[in-house]
Amino acid sequence: MAKARRVKQLSFTMPNKVGLLAEVSSAISGAGVNITSIWAYEVDGNANFVLIADSNAKAKRALAKMGIEVKEEDVVSVEMPNKPGELEKVAKKLSDAGINVNYLYGTTGSGKSCVCIFKTSDNAKAVRVINR
């Protein structure tokens, strides 16, 4: 059964360059912070980062030292069994409740569960619907 909760994610954009991911991850790990979810991509020469850490406050302070302006926003973290059809069940619950999925990212790894991060049209309602 899927378990959903509201969490905060950090996002920021910087000019892309070789080694940027190493710099960003070094700053965060140097602050004793673990990144629990990350999505990074390039558009028009800019590196876009979206991440969740075990201490967003510490991660923000570490990134601020690099001159990075960080935004924080609500998203939904959904932990579900790592087996066929689980994402479908969550997507169907959201659809039936009239909740639009703006985006999601996640991974299964090799464990018994996986985590997906959802940005929806109504995150509070999404948590309630998924946890029913």
Side-chain angles (χ1 to χ4, degrees), residues 23-64:
E23 290 176 31
V24 168
S25 58
S26 176
I28 293 171
S29 67
V33 176
N34 186 40
I35 298 171
T36 58
S37 297
I38 188 167
W39 169 33
Y41 57 97
E42 181 195 21
V43 174
D44 298 329
N46 287 316
N48 300 284
F49 288 84
V50 181
L51 64 89
I52 300 170
D54 61 4
S55 173
N56 281 348
K58 287 182 184 177
K60 282 174 72 172
R61 283 193 298 273
L63 294 168

Side-chain angles (χ1 to χ4, degrees), residues 3-18:
K3 296 177 194 161
R5 62 189 177 95
R6 290 172 69 179
V7 297
K8 299 274 187 185
Q9 75 180 8
L10 307 178
S11 62
F12 54 93
T13 300
M14 302 176 66
N16 199 13
K17 65 179 182 178
V18 173

